[in-house]
Amino acid sequence: MTASDITPIETLLKHPTTQTAVADINSDTLDRRAFIPYRCKVFSNRFVSLEDQPQYRFAINREAEKQLPDIINNSIQRVVAGLPDNSDSQSYFFKKRNIGVVFSGGPSPGGHNVIAAIFDAAKDANPESKIFGFILGPEGLLENRYVEITAELVDKYRNMGGFTMIKTGRTKIDSKQKMRLSKGTCQELNLDALVVVGGDDSNTNAAFLAQELKPYGIQVIGIPKTIDGDIQIRTEDGQTLCAISFGFHSAARAFAQNISNLCTDASSDLKYWHVCKVMGRVASHLALEAALQTHANLTLIGEDLADYVDAERLKRAKERGEIDYTAYGMTLRHLSRLICDSIVRRAANGKNYGVMIIPEGVLEFINEIQIFIIKLNTIIAQYNQIHDIDFHTAFHSLDAKLEYLRRLSRGITEKQASSIWNARDDELFNDLPSFFQEGLLVERDTHGNFQFSQVNTEKIIMDMVKDYLNILKEKGEYKVGIDGERFLYTMKRANLDPELIGTTIFRNYKDDCRLDDKKGCYYLIKKNIISVKTLKQAIVSGGIITDDENVPPSILDIFKKSVPNFKTQSHFYGYDGRGSSPTKFDCNYTYNLGLTAFALIANGATGQMAVIKNLEHDLDMWEPLGVPIAKLMHLEERKGKLTLVMEKNVVDTNSNAFRIVEAMRERWLAADNGGDHYRKPAPVRFQGKSEEDKPLTLVLNSI
Ligand code: FBP
């Protein structure tokens, strides 16, 4: 091509094809923005009211009664069609309102639809109403930084992922001063109500704000947000009022797509174990859902590990007339052994590859780590209380932190803290690899939570796995099984007697496979053959060659194929899923949460969380409710102190979904001579139907 043949760049840029190809907005985004979410049946009425539901009961925490007296006696309320025939209620419903909305914590797909629905419902009730979005989360509320939500702004973000419209943050409203600032902002803006879209900690904030602002006539409503899926609400007698928080489905679908692609990769080139860490600060709900959608070979569920009992150990102790308390709960060492066992069993069947899912928060359920986390949380919190400068500023480097801990263990510094950290703790802590020490000492978030996403969990586990696999390799226990058919073919080509060679080098030649039925059968090299030298010794003593002869290349080739090379690829699925576009389920769910929030506000409720009951069923069964946040509170250790917070829900090991995954474990591990059982989840789409249109966890739990 000569220079004169080249189209000038200006012409190229103006070309319609270029313009369409490089436009910021593509047709898919336009279609997505135009999608009109489903409205729960009750919202087809312009006027709705609330009906108390006394049949749903919760055990109330004493401390919640004490700290939240004005909202603790709220009832559970159902949004019902029509208004009481009373003109006061009608004029209250349709009055002009100012409503503030704040996102809090990590982004979760669908948040924009909460705002869109509040906007639509409020403007529909009274076009003069105003909606304000606080910028950068609770910080915006404290600093009175907001944007007025307009139709144009809402339309730009309908059905779109992220919290981009008004951003988010993790500031906690945890002091009298911050409460005062929040109240000041609400009063300056003349707010009638504030909607807090957040997780357990943010809804805790919402409850305290509701208590504080009630005397001033400002209502506060919470919305259950978090991809972690740990906001679930069940009554005292186990009835589900909220099966999952919003965003969980979209994030899980994104993770499952990626993990499923790795299953395809692993089973194509047969050389990697893909290690997939998936988000979920504590609870393993996302890992469980990803397992159901993909059938990855091995999925750890933190909650399951916490319940672990080493039956063998207990039995041995009982024989000695003792109780072995260390048999309860899982240690890191034991966990690595269990993972190795799965890897070794698959390799024995010719599958030295696979896909493993590790929940981000798994370490929380490992005894020894949990103890370190609690102790270090307390030490850091106590340090911050006593000193003007915070722990992480005072001790910049890992060495400085370790030195402080060493001094604590010797009682040289703060008395109270030193009783928590003794010489044994210090010794055990110093045995950990430095990247892990650093991980355990990372700065806690504003709520005092340990930040698991900052810790290289999979590295900690996989380093131990690799070490132990090397030991098993040296012992001759970790070997790649040799395909019987291939063995026979290789021997025939080399003019060697398969029967003679097979019985000499394999430990299961006769046991597992008959000569006339070698297909799908895997032979394992004998344990004592771990090198070319030991291979030669075996075939010399088997009379195949003499001491002076070399090992025939075909036998050498078989041996080399049996030597495992454990190669891993690590992946972290978290921020990508958190930023994904909401699924149709989440678009519909969040829009109805927003409508429910407005229904609660327009009927005078405060301290309530908007939820949708029956999410696990078809849309026409969805039921909008208001649930008192104060009744969902309990005491939890935070920053070294027992604190009143909304209770998180971790995976219930008695749930259907967990028990099904547990029952399928052996099949999905596929440590046999059959194929893998990977499952391809349907692509995320707005049209058509697929099994994953709702979280599979919910579908199974509803059986
Ligand atoms: P929320 O509970 O605020 O929704 O956040 C959940 C989460 O995505 C966790 O899965 C993860 O551990 C954490 O946020 C990561 O936090 P950060 O955004 O501060 O890195």
Side-chain angles (χ1 to χ4, degrees):
M1 202 186 267
T2 63
S4 60
D5 293 335
I6 296 177
T7 313
I9 187 66
E10 295 74 23
T11 316
L12 202 53
L13 287 174
K14 278 188 200 140
H15 194 282
T17 306
T18 311
Q19 299 228 327
T20 310
V22 303
D24 288 346
I25 311 292
N26 61 9
S27 56
D28 199 70
T29 299
L30 294 175
D31 290 351
R32 185 170 261 284
R33 283 177 179 167
F35 171 74
I36 299 172
Y38 168 84
R39 280 171 175 248
C40 288
K41 252 191 280 177
V42 69
F43 293 124
S44 55
N45 300 280
R46 213 175 145 224
F47 324 129
V48 289
S49 61
L50 304 176
E51 189 182 80
D52 284 359
Q53 303 291 300
Q55 73 275 27
Y56 301 130
R57 267 191 265 280
F58 293 99
I60 295 174
N61 184 286
R62 284 256 175 92
E63 202 49 38
E65 244 170 348
K66 229 195 284 168
Q67 295 188 32
L68 301 164
D70 298 337
I71 55 168
I72 192 76
N73 293 318
N74 282 359
S75 312
I76 292 163
Q77 298 166 312
R78 190 157 76 99
V79 181
V80 292
L83 275 175
D85 197 13
N86 148 354
S87 59
D88 282 354
S89 319
Q90 295 225 2
S91 55
Y92 185 78
F93 190 95
F94 292 110
K95 88 179 183 108
K96 169 182 176 289
R97 298 190 152 75
N98 290 339
I99 301 175
V101 185
V102 62
F103 287 141
S104 183
S108 205
H112 290 133
N113 273 18
V114 175
I115 298 186
I118 296 172
F119 178 88
D120 292 348
K123 292 281 187 190
D124 193 32
N126 189 322
E128 282 181 40
S129 287
K130 288 188 173 169
I131 313 296
F132 301 102
F134 290 104
I135 304 291
L136 270 173
E139 200 179 296
L141 179 64
L142 299 180
E143 296 174 359
N144 198 359
R145 289 207 299 133
Y146 63 88
V147 58
E148 186 181 337
I149 310 287
T150 58
E152 208 184 3
L153 191 59
V154 166
D155 289 346
K156 186 171 163 198
Y157 288 102
R158 284 182 196 271
N159 309 305
M160 301 300 289
F163 284 176
T164 323
M165 186 204 280
I166 53 172
K167 330 290 180 226
T168 184
R170 289 199 184 274
T171 302
K172 191 178 178 186
I173 303 167
D174 56 355
S175 64
K176 287 206 170 118
Q177 158 78 346
K178 289 184 188 168
M179 276 287 171
R180 240 192 334 269
L181 288 172
S182 311
K183 188 177 84 191
T185 301
C186 293
Q187 287 178 324
E188 262 175 64
L189 277 176
N190 208 7
L191 287 193
D192 295 276
L194 174 70
V195 179
V196 178
V197 182
D200 52 333
D201 286 323
S202 312
N203 274 285
T204 301
N205 279 184
F208 281 98
L209 275 172
Q211 169 70 35
E212 178 77 15
L213 300 178
K214 195 166 178 187
Y216 305 92
I218 304 167
Q219 300 158 260
V220 182
I221 301 295
I223 302 279
K225 169 238 70 162
T226 175
I227 60 160
D228 292 3
D230 54 14
I231 300 194
Q232 301 178 3
I233 301 170
R234 289 191 186 79
T235 58
E236 209 172 25
D237 59 354
Q239 297 187 66
T240 304
L241 301 187
C242 169
I244 207 84
S245 46
F246 84 74
F248 169 82
H249 184 239
S250 313
R253 293 286 279 124
F255 298 163
Q257 295 290 319
N258 289 323
I259 293 172
S260 155
N261 293 343
L262 293 178
C263 293
T264 309
D265 180 79
S267 56
S268 302
D269 61 9
L270 316 184
K271 65 179 182 195
Y272 291 124
W273 263 93
H274 287 288
V275 180
C276 310
K277 178 169 85 165
V278 302
M279 255 193 189
R281 190 201 308 274
V282 176
S284 306
H285 297 294
L286 283 163
L288 188 75
E289 178 69 22
L292 284 164
Q293 290 196 23
T294 63
H295 301 182
N297 303 106
L298 181 63
T299 301
L300 304 181
I301 300 295
E303 293 79 344
D304 174 38
L305 304 182
D307 285 351
Y308 179 81
V309 179
D310 189 336
E312 261 308 300
R313 228 183 166 134
L314 271 189
K315 196 172 134 213
R316 282 199 305 269
K318 200 172 169 197
E319 283 161 9
R320 295 193 305 269
E322 295 167 6
I323 301 173
D324 184 350
Y325 291 104
T326 62
Y328 295 95
M330 178 76 66
T331 60
L332 255 187
R333 194 184 150 85
H334 194 91
L335 175 63
S336 64
R337 302 295 188 265
L338 291 181
I339 297 174
C340 287
D341 181 60
S342 301
I343 293 168
V344 168
R345 286 178 53 216
R346 269 180 69 84
N349 285 284
K351 300 169 187 158
N352 196 31
Y353 66 88
V355 176
M356 174 186 324
I357 302 178
I358 299 185
E360 177 186 71
V362 73
L363 296 181
E364 171 94 12
F365 297 93
I366 305 285
N367 278 355
E368 76 244 50
I369 307 299
Q370 199 182 27
I371 292 169
F372 274 139
I373 291 174
I374 293 174
K375 288 191 173 205
L376 293 171
N377 275 356
T378 311
I379 290 168
I380 295 170
Q382 285 187 1
Y383 185 93
N384 292 347
Q385 264 166 24
I386 302 170
H387 299 86
D388 290 340
I389 177 169
D390 86 286
F391 181 83
H392 294 280
T393 317
F395 307 106
H396 262 304
S397 66
L398 176 63
D399 282 346
K401 288 174 185 151
L402 292 178
E403 173 59 18
Y404 175 73
L405 290 175
R406 193 182 56 79
R407 285 170 49 216
L408 265 191
S409 71
R410 295 186 183 169
I412 302 173
T413 180
E414 281 85 335
K415 283 247 158 37
Q416 208 183 357
S418 67
S419 63
I420 303 167
W421 196 255
N422 57 38
R424 177 87 185 120
D425 292 321
D426 207 52
E427 200 181 296
L428 288 174
F429 196 71
N430 276 298
D431 277 349
L432 300 175
S434 58
F435 78 90
F436 189 20
Q437 290 174 332
E438 221 151 346
L440 288 168
L441 283 162
V442 290
E443 207 160 338
R444 275 48 184 164
D445 76 2
T446 43
H447 301 274
N449 293 314
F450 183 75
Q451 304 201 64
F452 278 104
S453 58
Q454 311 289 313
V455 180
N456 216 337
T457 312
E458 71 286 14
K459 178 162 164 51
I460 293 160
I461 296 174
M462 294 316 290
D463 278 359
M464 292 184 79
V465 165
K466 281 178 192 163
D467 284 350
Y468 192 57
L469 282 179
N470 277 335
I471 295 175
L472 293 176
K473 199 165 154 184
E474 275 164 28
K475 284 185 174 169
E477 286 173 21
Y478 175 30
K479 304 234 187 235
V480 180
I482 301 296
D483 179 346
E485 198 182 19
R486 186 188 184 130
F487 171 69
L488 187 66
Y489 172 78
T490 313
M491 292 300 105
K492 280 200 174 148
R493 278 193 59 169
N495 251 337
L496 290 168
D497 175 7
E499 182 76 17
L500 177 63
I501 312 292
T503 45
T504 308
I505 65 170
F506 296 125
R507 59 180 115 141
N508 60 340
Y509 189 70
K510 285 221 159 131
D511 306 343
D512 293 352
C513 309
R514 293 194 323 276
L515 250 179
D516 54 350
D517 182 22
K518 286 141 305 281
K519 206 164 179 185
C521 150
Y522 287 86
Y523 294 131
L524 273 178
I525 297 272
K526 287 180 177 166
K527 279 192 189 174
N528 58 339
I529 304 179
I530 51 167
S531 59
V532 177
K533 195 171 155 200
T534 46
L535 171 70
K536 182 165 178 185
Q537 280 164 1
I539 58 175
V540 168
S541 57
I544 296 162
I545 56 168
T546 64
D547 221 1
D548 304 332
E549 287 173 304
N550 287 331
V551 178
S554 50
I555 301 183
L556 200 59
D557 183 49
I558 294 287
F559 169 72
K560 282 188 183 157
K561 288 203 161 50
S562 79
V563 179
N565 181 8
F566 182 67
K567 290 202 284 188
T568 58
Q569 292 290 347
S570 294
H571 313 265
F572 177 27
Y573 296 118
Y575 299 101
D576 51 342
R578 226 166 67 161
S580 68
S581 298
T583 55
K584 196 169 173 182
F585 172 88
D586 272 328
C587 286
N588 288 328
Y589 180 18
T590 45
Y591 194 78
N592 283 287
L593 283 174
L595 295 178
T596 308
F598 181 76
L600 291 166
I601 293 168
N603 282 284
T606 189
Q608 301 288 81
M609 182 193 278
V611 304
I612 306 290
K613 188 171 176 280
N614 291 338
L615 281 177
E616 58 279 30
H617 299 295
D618 288 344
L619 291 171
D620 57 2
M621 290 177 72
W622 284 15
E623 208 179 277
L625 299 177
V627 176
I629 308 174
K631 289 185 173 159
L632 310 175
M633 310 276 256
H634 77 157
L635 288 173
E636 219 173 80
E637 185 274 334
R638 288 293 170 87
K639 297 187 182 170
K641 267 199 303 199
L642 276 181
T643 312
L644 190 66
V645 288
M646 199 185 124
E647 191 169 2
K648 260 202 253 305
N649 278 77
V650 295
V651 171
D652 176 2
T653 50
N654 288 317
S655 65
N656 290 351
F658 174 78
R659 289 187 306 125
I660 289 167
V661 167
E662 194 181 30
M664 300 306 280
R665 241 177 215 161
E666 196 53 29
R667 179 177 163 83
W668 296 347
L669 178 64
D672 54 31
N673 59 9
D676 283 305
H677 301 282
Y678 299 137
R679 175 180 189 277
K680 253 267 110 357
V684 180
R685 56 186 175 207
F686 261 55
Q687 303 303 330
K689 273 187 179 258
S690 55
E691 287 83 354
E692 303 83 4
D693 286 346
K694 299 188 206 39
L696 294 182
T697 312
L698 264 56
V699 173
L700 297 175
N701 284 345
S702 72
I703 299 173

